[in-house]
Amino acid sequence: MDVTGKTDAPVALRDAAALGFDPERLARIDHFLDEQYVASGRLPNAQILVARDGQAAHYGHLGTMRADGTAMRSDALFRIASMTKPVTSIAFMQLVEQCRIALEDPVTRVFPEFADLAVYKGGGGSIPFAPGKPAPPMRFVDLLTHMSGFTYGLQNRNNIDAVYREHNFDFARDHLASDEFVARLAKLPLEFAPGTGWNYSVSTDVLGIAVERLSGMRLGDYFAKYIFGPLGMTDTAFGATDADRLVDAYAYQPGKPPKLVDAGAKSKLNQPGTFDSGGGGLIGTIADYHRFATMLLNGGELDGARIVSPKTLQLMRTNHLPNNADLTEMSSSLFSEANNAGTGFGLGFAMVIDPAKTLMPSSMGEFYWGGAYSTAFFVDPVERITMVFMTQVYPSSTYPIRRQLKTLIYSALTQSNA
């Protein structure tokens, strides 16, 4: 078993018992990951960092970072995919704080291309889309909450999704620029009228382009100046900062070992792209995302760097679904990075609004998200716990590993604030 535990940790580890954890129970996490996932070949690797009040209580890493057997490094670079979305949402809210834009503003204030959006009425595939009813104005809050009416090609449910796949919106990095992304999207019907439903979608990609247009900066440059630089996240970017550290990526195959789909050493991610995907393009380390999660736990600040205000973050991690609904009542998605029962959605995060309905240990107001390659994080403002998990197998719906990790972490807690 290649489990590093307390040696070679990317951040300083504290006494887990002093932080309110049972060290022996925390050690179950690495053994579980190895026995159930890595040694069995279901995952090629795993890294996990559990902290309380920003202090790391447990770190473990397992497996290899390359198919050739290259040992896992504590500073390995992972495709964090949709864990980019909270970063983009924070960036947009920085601009809201400066009154350069407002949540209730129509998106046409920044995107005149969206002036003639219509709701799907029929067609697609081998026949043109039928003329649909003009959509009511889409607002920026609809982008942040995934209530815009946009979709993802990966949803794979209907004719709109199929056209998104034809345009390859989900993987636009190497073939589209921001303006072309918007121009193509503007020609397609919405799945539903903005504000009337919830669907996991390219909304956050559009939000990232809004940050670009409002700031006059490419998204990656904006992140570097206003988020990553202040937080000391030196290894996170749209593209690998060091090709030697980029791990291989895999795809699940039923009944077979995961299939290598993107070798880190030869990946296009080592070269500049044409589009910075605010919905899923970042690459980074577990230590960097731990700093981002700790900033969220601290109400928008870390080590003297104020990223957003506590009131802004409180607004972001509050459920914005109508009538305090959960996603079982609102979601039309085949897939998202959220559990549905007992889960609401705010401005860039899912959050627990009914712990009992989630059927797992959790706290009211706990917020989280994940990435398509099975990465995940959560922030528990009640217990003051954060977790960041890294691996690299697509899709993230393959295994119930996030639920299992939360169960293991909370079962190790000895001192509760609840």
Side-chain angles (χ1 to χ4, degrees):
M1 179 175 66
D2 180 17
V3 180
T4 303
K6 288 196 174 184
T7 62
D8 196 31
V11 297
L13 286 166
R14 307 301 183 186
D15 181 1
L19 293 173
F21 289 102
D22 181 329
E24 292 186 1
R25 288 189 166 218
L26 282 177
R28 294 175 179 175
I29 297 171
D30 297 343
H31 292 287
F32 175 83
L33 287 171
D34 184 62
E35 181 179 39
Q36 295 296 319
Y37 289 103
V38 178
S40 65
R42 299 165 84 189
L43 294 179
N45 49 52
Q47 282 189 346
I48 185 166
L49 202 161
V50 181
R52 198 170 200 189
D53 282 314
Q55 304 298 306
H58 178 81
Y59 167 74
H61 75 223
L62 304 86
T64 58
M65 60 182 288
R66 296 275 171 83
D68 63 7
T70 300
M72 175 57 67
R73 299 171 51 150
S74 60
D75 62 352
L77 294 168
F78 292 85
R79 301 156 190 80
I80 64 172
S82 286
M83 281 166 57
T84 305
K85 288 181 171 69
V87 181
T88 303
S89 301
I90 287 286
F92 184 82
M93 294 305 293
Q94 288 180 324
L95 300 174
V96 170
E97 287 188 331
Q98 298 166 33
C99 291
R100 298 170 73 173
I101 199 71
L103 293 174
E104 64 269 28
D105 282 345
V107 298
T108 49
R109 179 177 167 186
V110 175
F111 299 107
E113 299 97 321
F114 291 150
D116 298 319
L117 292 174
V119 179
Y120 179 75
K121 187 177 181 180
S126 60
I127 60 175
F129 286 114
K133 181 179 180 181
M138 183 189 298
R139 304 166 299 160
F140 282 101
V141 67
D142 298 321
L143 294 175
L144 281 153
T145 57
H146 289 288
M147 297 182 69
S148 62
F150 292 138
T151 187
Y152 259 140
L154 60 82
Q155 297 293 359
N156 202 18
R157 306 153 305 153
N158 56 41
N159 287 343
I160 309 176
D161 301 341
V163 175
Y164 273 55
R165 289 195 298 278
E166 290 176 12
H167 286 288
N168 200 15
F169 287 139
D170 300 359
F171 301 97
R173 181 184 189 272
D174 299 315
H175 72 101
L176 291 177
S178 296
D179 288 349
E180 180 64 17
F181 187 100
V182 172
R184 294 189 184 191
L185 191 61
K187 296 176 182 178
L188 303 179
L190 299 176
E191 183 172 322
F192 48 78
T196 64
W198 191 94
N199 187 35
Y200 194 37
S201 71
V202 299
S203 290
T204 318
D205 284 304
V206 176
L207 198 71
I209 300 170
V211 171
E212 292 186 330
R213 293 189 178 186
L214 289 164
S215 68
M217 302 172 67
R218 185 154 170 173
L219 191 60
D221 294 334
Y222 183 95
F223 284 176
K225 183 173 183 178
Y226 294 109
I227 299 176
F228 300 153
L231 292 178
M233 295 171 63
T234 57
D235 281 324
T236 304
F238 288 108
T241 56
D242 181 353
D244 290 339
R245 290 190 282 143
L246 181 61
V247 302
D248 292 345
Y250 296 80
Y252 171 70
Q253 299 184 106
K256 301 178 182 178
K259 177 184 178 181
L260 178 66
V261 292
D262 188 32
K266 300 178 181 179
S267 176
K268 291 182 179 179
L269 297 171
N270 296 313
Q271 305 298 325
T274 59
F275 178 68
D276 291 345
S277 168
L282 286 175
I283 296 167
T285 62
I286 196 169
D288 270 11
Y289 214 89
H290 163 67
R291 293 189 65 80
F292 183 75
T294 304
M295 176 274 293
L296 298 176
L297 178 71
N298 291 345
E301 181 273 340
L302 180 65
D303 294 341
R306 170 64 62 187
I307 305 302
V308 291
S309 80
K311 294 300 286 186
T312 295
L313 191 58
Q314 183 180 30
L315 179 66
M316 295 180 73
R317 62 182 184 85
T318 298
N319 185 25
H320 284 254
L321 300 182
N323 301 314
N324 201 37
D326 72 4
L327 288 175
T328 61
E329 301 169 80
M330 295 294 299
S331 176
S332 59
S333 292
L334 178 69
F335 168 80
S336 80
E337 298 291 346
N339 300 302
N340 284 351
T343 300
F345 201 86
L347 307 180
F349 310 102
M351 73 284 303
V352 175
I353 61 173
D354 189 334
K357 286 186 178 179
T358 70
L359 297 181
M360 73 177 92
S362 57
S363 296
M364 180 71 78
E366 178 183 305
F367 56 107
Y368 66 93
W369 206 240
Y373 290 96
S374 301
T375 60
F377 84 100
F378 75 80
V379 177
D380 182 341
V382 176
E383 300 294 358
R384 304 283 300 170
I385 293 172
T386 59
M387 180 214 75
V388 184
F389 175 73
M390 297 291 196
T391 189
Q392 214 76 142
V393 171
Y394 179 93
S396 58
S397 57
T398 302
Y399 304 120
I401 193 165
R402 297 173 185 176
R403 171 182 291 271
Q404 293 164 338
L405 290 174
K406 282 191 63 179
T407 299
L408 289 162
I409 291 166
Y410 282 113
S411 70
L413 190 65
T414 58
Q415 298 173 26
S416 174
N417 297 329

